[in-house]
Amino acid sequence: MDDVRARREAFYRRIDDSHCAPLWEVLHGLITPTPSTPCQPCHWPWATMWPYLQDSGRIISAEEAERRVLVLENPGLRGRSRITHSLYAGLQLILPGEAAPPHRHSQSAMRFVLQGKGAFTAVDGRRITMNEGDFVITPAWAFHDHGNPSSEPMVWLDGLDVPIVELFDAQFMEKGDTVSYRGGDGQENLAEFGATMKPVGFQPASKTSPLCWYPYARSREALLAFARSQAPHPCWGHKLQYVNPVTGGWAMPTIGTFLQYLPQGFDGTPYRSTDATVYAVREGSGVCRIGGLELRFGPRDVFVCPSWMPYTLHADTDAILFSFSDRPAQQSLDIWREQAG
Ligand code: 1HN
């Protein structure tokens, strides 16, 4: 037996010099029966994060930082700038009077506004003035900058497909020149694409929605009307996904985004899916039970549920949750699975 092991190890050493290794020693760790992930469930309460964000505002300007962001690092993936294996998330602060300079990159970005009103993000010089609860898209390779002409700080949750683009080694980044704004506040974008119609002759130039601003008031109204129209799903209550109004498909090619309403007293049954999901609480409070933990959430909290780990959602009060995941990327590769109930 020892002789067998010794012969094998001698063989492994011999082929090792030629950058070669035996699959049979690693096969079962490589191809597991179910997802095996270092990603852990985790909760970033607003009560913890808001003081940190304020401190970050005292130690560096948005200009100097380029983006003043506290990265939400999954405890199972520390030092790797990601909240799940495939997605980056961070909390970005922009103070009154500040500007974050233009740049562009291969990564797609989304924002979900947690606090403040009146700051803007600009995509190719077109400003979108943001409010709490708004969902905003920065498409891949579009120049973007941020500014805050309002009198209050703004904080938003950033979600980017940084690890996905890194996996493919397909990342490019460029700094922009000083911007000349083309005026506006985003209303023109809503006028073109915000009414489930599109200008005649419009041809999409990319897989990202040409509507890049989903104001909260509209999304909330749609969600509550939907909730009045039917019984809640046993796992997720009333849940809508943001869509590209021109195709009906996902708003972004790699990141799926959702808004969900859990009526007061909602007590969901277990759910799991292969898309690890980042939740941001917009309204209300409740509990997410996952992996033996009780994550008690309230407004502006962020929490993450890893791939294939069952969890339940409970609402103490009427609650509205925003969430995002890599579901579109997985579905385009035919690998997405879910188990509801
Ligand atoms: C980025 O461009 C922004 O534009 C925020 O606000 C976070 C994280 C990684 C790479 C690029 C932004 C980012 C980022």
Side-chain angles (χ1 to χ4, degrees):
M1 198 57 203
D2 281 351
D3 185 42
V4 169
R5 180 164 303 140
R7 277 177 56 213
R8 286 181 183 168
E9 276 167 11
F11 173 67
Y12 301 160
R13 278 195 298 279
R14 191 148 59 83
I15 65 174
D16 184 67
D17 283 347
S18 303
H19 320 290
C20 185
L23 173 63
W24 59 87
E25 292 290 341
V26 294
L27 180 62
H28 299 293
L30 206 57
I31 310 293
T32 55
T34 56
S36 146
T37 177
C39 180
Q40 296 173 18
C42 189
H43 180 204
W44 291 265
W46 180 250
T48 305
M49 298 311 293
W50 174 229
Y52 291 162
L53 286 160
Q54 288 172 297
D55 287 346
S56 76
R58 288 188 269 270
I59 62 163
I60 195 164
S61 68
E63 186 84 39
E64 190 191 346
E66 193 161 328
R67 298 295 186 262
R68 188 202 289 111
V69 183
L70 299 182
V71 179
L72 304 182
E73 285 202 334
N74 191 282
L77 295 156
R78 288 311 307 270
R80 297 180 64 191
S81 304
R82 63 194 67 189
I83 190 161
T84 71
H85 225 160
S86 63
L87 293 172
Y88 161 99
L91 296 181
Q92 180 156 181
L93 170 71
I94 184 155
L95 292 170
E98 284 192 324
H103 67 202
R104 64 175 171 176
H105 37 68
S106 315
Q107 293 83 0
S108 297
M110 53 125 277
R111 336 268 168 206
F112 182 73
V113 182
L114 297 180
Q115 180 176 281
K117 57 171 182 292
F120 67 84
T121 187
V123 176
D124 288 324
R126 290 191 184 83
R127 287 187 191 202
I128 295 160
T129 298
M130 297 179 287
N131 212 330
E132 287 185 2
D134 291 1
F135 159 55
V136 180
I137 300 170
T138 306
W141 207 237
F143 277 111
H144 54 285
D145 60 285
H146 316 300
N148 188 355
S150 87
S151 58
E152 45 183 297
M154 181 175 274
V155 178
W156 62 71
L157 173 67
D158 282 315
L160 287 92
D161 55 6
V162 176
I164 297 177
V165 179
E166 182 191 290
L167 173 69
F168 291 115
D169 282 335
Q171 66 271 50
F172 294 87
M173 197 270 199
E174 246 174 41
K175 295 202 178 194
D177 300 325
T178 43
V179 269
S180 51
Y181 295 113
R182 300 188 218 177
D185 54 7
Q187 292 298 334
E188 21 353 287
N189 187 240
L190 273 185
E192 274 190 305
F193 300 108
T196 63
M197 301 177 93
K198 64 171 181 176
V200 171
F202 172 80
Q203 291 295 338
S206 84
K207 293 189 177 63
T208 303
S209 171
L211 179 69
C212 55
W213 183 36
Y214 297 73
Y216 185 60
R218 289 175 167 225
S219 312
R220 184 182 197 275
E221 188 185 340
L223 181 63
L224 296 182
F226 174 63
R228 283 190 297 274
S229 77
Q230 56 189 268
H233 184 278
C235 299
W236 57 72
H238 305 278
K239 188 168 184 176
L240 293 176
Q241 66 194 62
Y242 292 87
V243 296
N244 174 336
V246 171
T247 63
W250 297 99
M252 302 171 70
T254 48
I255 304 180
T257 49
F258 308 86
L259 195 68
Q260 128 188 45
Y261 168 59
L262 310 175
Q264 179 169 16
F266 178 80
D267 202 25
T269 57
Y271 178 78
R272 65 177 167 177
S273 59
T274 52
D275 54 321
T277 302
V278 181
Y279 285 91
V281 182
R282 167 65 198 150
E283 293 182 34
S285 59
V287 188
C288 173
R289 293 201 175 86
I290 181 163
L293 301 175
E294 277 207 349
L295 311 181
R296 299 210 147 262
F297 61 78
R300 302 189 176 107
D301 288 5
V302 176
F303 61 93
V304 62
C305 298
S307 166
W308 213 239
M309 189 177 278
Y311 64 97
T312 58
L313 294 171
H314 309 262
D316 299 334
T317 66
D318 279 356
I320 298 185
L321 310 181
F322 173 85
S323 59
F324 71 94
S325 77
D326 63 10
R327 194 176 295 189
Q330 290 199 28
Q331 289 184 339
S332 72
L333 300 172
D334 286 346
I335 56 175
W336 182 74
R337 286 201 202 187
E338 71 175 344
Q339 189 177 18

